[in-house]
């Protein structure tokens, strides 16, 4: 194979041509190593690889390890001027962004210093495939015990995909107390852009903590939240400031959107600008243009915006608009940021028209690396519903089962112990057969949409619609959208497919925080016989031992689903 190293060429030209230093390529914000595989005008390239490489089967071996330390603490914050208690990673919400190159090994040491709240923790790397590394998936009760206050747990995984995602706590409602941050894995892209603006988090936010709100959520239904944040900031009654970023006319910018809300579906837009969408979750797609983008909880979109509106105005609103079809927010019209060309001021621009809805972008999405879905080897369906438990608290069910798993007894530990039976409330589906297609239909007759997230796999969306699913519904098997989070429409169905190509224990759940805690989840025990050999047993056991010692002495009670 002809090998050509653009990095050495770039360095050579840089020494010869100082003007190159001012080019957008060098203006990229991020530390890069191994493979500086592209420039503003060659984003499809990546050293010996490219956007045409089938990243699902081929991964560069960079030999590089990226090591991070993340410390979780109890904090008091005032992201919009209003002060409340929260939790943060290294003191900030969002926490620090983790950077890697495609093919790097990522090592993250998570230090639990939540000594005031006495909360356990775990960190999940959302959408990361965890190929044969289920024990690094960071889900309490499933792949690990909670990490006790005062303890540290190290996660190690290979960056087999590239693009934008996030890490977040997978312990109780802690992700929405502020324990989250971005992950950027550098790689090729399906369209060119000049500069990378990095992560852009969309959050809902309340002046009560999520733990306080949960009491209301499970007793009387989802609470109306006070407001929302764009990348951790907004204006409130007593202060704050708006997220803002400057544009240079003619330059194109990449932004990496994440919906990190507990219970809000957003439509995102920038007045008078068009967004070119290049990836959905960690999947590069054939680019398409839109002015209003639907983003469900847990979903990500990589967008490119060309600064081509300087003659219209200097200041434009960026908007994250909660959709009232899904949930209520008291500050729906004012979750905004500012894009400015010259000097910052208050924008006077108006919003694009939209119809309130919690739609998915499915119809627009065509994965760039095309795949055909094979016929199913196994298939099943699950009906989502809600009922009240003995205490009169809401619990979500899938085929009448609400997940109830124990922090101190993770499924992986049961598998390591050789256990082959599970309690009904573990909500386990076993997938013993290797490399076959599983189809799963999720249905609901209730008028509530749910963002469904699967761990350890990207899944293919074979069908998604309203009404009752029947065999007359056409399944799209010819390169349908694939991603890790998709909407189950209200009073409708979602038909997902995935290959049993990753031994492990994998959670599937609704990404609405209240619903996860209320048991809207199931787990796949995939290729049981091969799981044990993928587990670092000492790490698993030591972390559980520390948790048990702590939980006993602090008399910790688990009141939620366990995930
Ligand atoms: C996933 O891991 C398995 C086992 O180590 C390996 O055979 C396979 O090649 C890996 N997949 C990719 C895409 O690297
Ligand atoms: C986070 O804080 C720890 C110390 O608590 C520090 O060692 C580490 O470098 C910080 N990490 C990042 C990514 O800033
Ligand atoms: C975690 O900390 C919060 C805030 O102090 C508290 O309300 C909650 O009960 C704690 N949760 C657990 C499970 O320890
Ligand atoms: C959003 O916040 C993260 C974390 O602080 C930061 O890395 C990123 O640059 C910010 N995004 C933008 C677009 O400024
Ligand atoms: C713009 O953002 C900066 C922080 O990056 C902040 O200090 C400033 O107040 C913001 N401007 C407005 C008008 O909100
Ligand atoms: C989308 O917008 C970009 C940038 O404005 C433009 O270059 C491209 O041709 C547009 N693509 C489509 C499919 O309209
Ligand atoms: C800016 O956007 C608004 C709302 O979509 C539209 O009415 C207006 O015509 C646009 N202005 C220009 C100059 O394109
Ligand atoms: C759930 O119930 C449906 C309808 O009774 C049934 O067809 C399906 O097999 C059940 N799924 C599981 C995993 O038991
Ligand atoms: C094995 O599973 C059964 C049923 O869920 C449970 O009662 C038992 O405690 C488990 N044993 C171990 C060692 O996890
Ligand atoms: C098929 O899937 C069901 C779960 O829906 C599981 O119980 C069964 O073991 C699977 N069978 C095979 C052969 O994979
Ligand atoms: Cu839900």
């Amino acid at each position: 194979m002809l090998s050509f190293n653009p990095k050495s060429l770039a360095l050579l030209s840089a020494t010869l041509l100082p003007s190159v230093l001012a080019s957008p390529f060098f203006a990229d914000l991020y530390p890069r190593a191994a493979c500086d595989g592209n420039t503003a005008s060659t984003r499809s390239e990546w050293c010996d690889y490219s956007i045409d490489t089938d990243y699902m089967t081929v991964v560069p071996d960079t030999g590089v390890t990226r090591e991070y330390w993340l410390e979780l603490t109890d904090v008091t914050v005032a992201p919009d001027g209003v002060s409340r208690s929260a939790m943060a990673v290294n003191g900030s919400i969002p926490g620090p962004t983790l950077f890697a190159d495609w093919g790097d090994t990522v090592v993250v040491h998570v230090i639990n210093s939540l000594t005031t709240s006495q909360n356990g923790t775990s960190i999940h790397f959302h959408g990361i495939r965890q190929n044969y590394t289920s024990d690094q998936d960071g889900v309490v009760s499933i792949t690990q015990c909670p990490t006790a206050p005062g303890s540290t747990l190290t996660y190690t995984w290979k960056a087999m995909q590239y693009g934008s995602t996030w890490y977040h706590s997978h312990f109780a409602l802690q992700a929405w107390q502020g324990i989250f941050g971005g992950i950027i894995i550098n790689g090729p892209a399906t369209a060119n852009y000049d500069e990378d603006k990095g992560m852009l988090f969309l959050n809902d936010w309340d002046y009560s903590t999520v733990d306080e709100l949960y009491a209301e959520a499970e007793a009387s239904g989802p609470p109306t939240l006070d407001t929302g944040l764009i990348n951790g900031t907004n204006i409130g009654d007593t202060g704050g400031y708006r997220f803002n970023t400057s544009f240079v006319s003619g330059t194109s910018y990449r932004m990496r959107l994440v919906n990190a809300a507990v219970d809000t579906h957003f439509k995102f837009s920038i007045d008078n600008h068009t967004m070119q969408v290049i990836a959905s979750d960690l999947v590069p797609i054939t680019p398409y243009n839109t002015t209003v983008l639907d983003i469900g909880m847990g979903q990500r979109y990589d967008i490119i915006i060309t600064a081509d509106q300087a003659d219209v105005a200097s200041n434009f609103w960026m908007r994250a608009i909660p959709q009232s079809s899904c949930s209520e927010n008291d500050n729906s019209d004012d979750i905004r940021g500012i894009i400015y060309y010259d000097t910052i001021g208050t924008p006077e621009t108006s919003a694009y028209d939209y119809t309130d809805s919690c739609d998915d972008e499915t119809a627009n999405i065509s994965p760039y690396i095309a795949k055909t879905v094979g016929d199913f080897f196994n298939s099943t369906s699950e009906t989502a519903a809600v009922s009240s438990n003995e205490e009169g608290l809401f619990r979500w069910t899938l085929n009448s089962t609400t997940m109830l798993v124990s922090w101190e007894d993770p499924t992986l530990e049961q598998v390591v112990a050789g256990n082959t039976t599970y309690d009904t409330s573990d909500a386990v589906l076993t997938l013993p057969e290797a490399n076959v297609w599983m189809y799963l239909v999720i249905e609901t007759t209730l008028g509530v949409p749910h963002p469904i997230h699967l761990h350890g796999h990207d899944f293919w969306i074979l069908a998604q619609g309203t009404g009752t699913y029947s065999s007359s519904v056409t399944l799209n098997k010819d390169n349908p959208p694939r991603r890790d989070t998709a909407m189950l429409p209200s009073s409708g169905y979602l038909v997902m497919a995935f290959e049993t190509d990753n031994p492990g224990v994998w959670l599937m759940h609704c990404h609405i925080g209240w619903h996860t805690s209320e048991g809207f989840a199931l787990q796949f025990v995939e290729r049981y016989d091969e799981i044990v050999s993928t587990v670092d047993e000492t790490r698993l056991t030591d972390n559980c031992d520390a948790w048990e010692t702590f939980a006993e002495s602090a008399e910790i009670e688990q009141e939620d689903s366990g995930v």
Side-chain angles (χ1 to χ4, degrees):
M1 191 179 183
L2 185 69
S3 166
F4 165 75
N5 185 343
K7 185 186 179 188
S8 31
L9 184 69
L11 289 174
L12 181 65
S13 355
T15 51
L16 298 174
L17 301 165
S19 64
V20 172
L21 286 169
S23 79
F25 171 54
F26 285 92
D28 271 7
L29 300 169
Y30 309 123
R32 288 176 178 243
C35 176
D36 281 336
N38 58 42
T39 67
S41 59
T42 63
R43 296 290 183 198
S44 66
E45 296 176 9
W46 196 253
C47 300
D48 291 341
Y49 305 86
S50 78
I51 193 69
D52 295 308
T53 307
D54 180 358
Y55 66 90
M56 292 182 76
T57 54
V58 177
V59 184
D61 186 7
T62 61
V64 173
T65 296
R66 305 275 184 155
E67 194 167 15
Y68 287 97
W69 282 262
L70 300 178
E71 183 171 17
L72 319 186
T73 54
D74 295 295
V75 292
T76 299
V77 292
D80 64 348
V82 183
S83 181
R84 57 157 268 201
S85 65
M87 296 174 184
V89 184
N90 277 30
S92 71
I93 302 174
T97 304
L98 311 180
F99 296 96
D101 283 343
W102 181 26
D104 288 353
T105 295
V106 180
V107 175
V108 184
H109 307 279
V110 176
I111 307 153
N112 183 354
S113 298
L114 297 165
T115 42
T116 306
S117 63
Q118 295 280 287
N119 271 202
T121 198
S122 74
I123 294 290
H124 168 62
F125 305 90
H126 185 111
I128 294 297
R129 202 166 146 196
Q130 300 292 7
N131 182 47
Y132 285 72
T133 51
S134 172
D135 65 338
Q136 309 296 313
D137 199 38
V139 188
V140 293
S141 310
I142 307 295
T143 65
Q144 66 167 90
C145 293
T147 299
S151 292
T152 296
L153 188 65
T154 299
Y155 298 87
T156 305
W157 45 269
K158 180 135 181 165
M160 294 184 20
Q161 304 132 289
Y162 53 84
S164 313
T165 190
W166 61 313
Y167 61 86
H168 63 77
S169 169
H170 222 300
F171 173 83
L173 292 162
Q174 207 172 67
W176 301 284
Q177 277 285 83
I179 305 282
F180 66 91
I183 302 177
I184 292 178
I185 305 172
N186 297 306
T190 55
N192 287 327
Y193 55 91
D194 296 320
E195 285 186 32
D196 197 335
K197 291 271 189 187
M199 305 302 302
L200 192 70
F201 279 96
L202 311 180
N203 282 83
D204 47 17
W205 188 251
D206 199 273
Y207 304 130
S208 301
T209 68
V210 279
D211 287 294
E212 289 159 353
L213 293 171
Y214 182 60
E216 181 183 342
E218 60 173 356
S220 46
T224 298
L225 299 181
D226 289 325
T227 184
L229 308 174
I230 294 187
N231 225 34
T233 182
N234 200 6
I235 294 265
D237 287 344
T238 56
Y241 66 88
R242 293 196 191 274
F243 168 82
N244 57 81
T245 193
S246 70
F247 274 16
V248 172
S249 189
T251 303
S252 56
Y253 300 94
R254 178 177 186 167
M255 292 189 198
R256 301 153 180 275
L257 290 176
V258 180
N259 182 339
V262 66
D263 189 16
T264 304
H265 182 105
F266 289 109
K267 285 196 201 288
F268 178 85
S269 60
I270 299 170
D271 294 353
N272 294 86
H273 290 76
T274 298
M275 299 174 268
Q276 187 179 29
V277 187
I278 60 166
S280 52
D281 299 345
L282 284 168
V283 179
I285 60 173
T286 302
Y288 71 93
N289 290 347
T290 189
T291 53
V292 180
L293 185 73
D294 269 282
I295 180 163
M297 282 154 273
Q299 293 185 324
R300 287 88 64 214
Y301 288 103
D302 284 56
I303 57 174
I304 297 169
I305 301 132
T306 300
D308 56 5
Q309 299 294 310
D311 53 349
V312 171
S314 283
N315 286 268
F316 296 86
W317 290 121
M318 170 188 278
R319 302 172 193 265
I321 309 174
Q323 299 301 290
S324 64
S325 306
C326 289
S327 59
E328 297 297 332
N329 190 291
D330 277 335
N331 198 28
S332 293
D333 189 42
D334 205 27
I335 304 168
R336 301 191 197 179
I338 299 170
I339 298 279
Y340 64 97
Y341 282 75
D342 298 314
T343 44
I344 191 164
T346 303
E348 288 171 358
T349 54
S350 5
Y352 285 109
D353 288 336
Y354 68 91
T355 304
D356 193 287
S357 74
C358 303
D359 291 342
D360 219 342
E361 291 288 322
T362 305
N364 295 318
I365 293 172
S366 179
Y368 184 80
I369 298 293
K371 297 275 178 184
T372 303
V373 176
D375 291 336
F376 67 84
F377 170 84
N378 198 352
S379 74
T380 191
S381 67
E382 294 279 356
T383 300
V386 68
S387 56
S388 292
N389 69 7
E390 293 113 45
E391 287 103 54
L393 304 173
F394 287 125
R395 288 294 177 263
W396 283 87
T397 55
L398 289 170
N399 269 20
S400 307
T401 298
T402 187
M403 178 178 273
L404 182 58
V405 284
S406 302
W407 288 338
E408 69 278 4
D409 189 22
T411 314
L412 261 190
E413 205 168 59
Q414 297 179 40
V415 170
V416 167
N419 217 345
T420 52
T421 58
Y422 311 94
D423 293 331
T424 304
S425 59
D426 289 344
V428 167
L429 296 187
T430 54
L431 299 173
E433 206 72 30
N435 301 315
V436 295
W437 286 95
M438 174 73 189
Y439 288 11
L440 179 69
V441 180
I442 306 180
E443 293 188 82
T444 185
T445 57
L446 304 172
V448 186
H450 304 269
I452 304 295
H453 174 52
L454 174 64
H455 292 215
H457 303 267
D458 282 337
F459 59 84
W460 281 256
I461 302 173
L462 300 186
Q464 188 182 36
T466 51
T468 310
Y469 176 73
S470 77
S471 54
S472 64
V473 169
T474 308
L475 299 183
N476 175 14
K477 301 187 200 176
D478 181 16
N479 195 32
R482 73 173 178 268
R483 59 189 315 167
D484 56 62
T485 311
M487 298 304 297
L488 164 62
S490 75
S491 309
Y493 55 83
L494 171 68
V495 184
M496 353 182 348
F498 62 95
E499 266 184 297
T500 55
D501 58 3
N502 196 4
V505 183
W506 306 113
L507 187 68
M508 191 196 81
H509 66 106
C510 170
H511 221 280
I512 295 173
W514 319 132
H515 293 183
T516 314
S517 286
E518 290 163 359
F520 191 133
L522 54 76
Q523 52 180 325
F524 293 102
V525 174
E526 181 172 336
R527 298 163 61 169
Y528 181 97
D529 295 341
E530 295 163 80
I531 296 174
V532 177
S533 66
T534 70
V535 177
D536 179 341
E537 291 183 35
T538 309
R539 173 179 172 278
L540 179 65
T541 311
D542 288 355
N543 186 61
C544 281
D545 289 349
W547 172 255
E548 270 161 45
T549 305
F550 162 76
E552 263 169 43
S553 70
E555 295 178 17
I556 301 294
E557 297 283 338
Q558 179 191 325
E559 281 162 3
D560 66 2
S561 61
V563 290

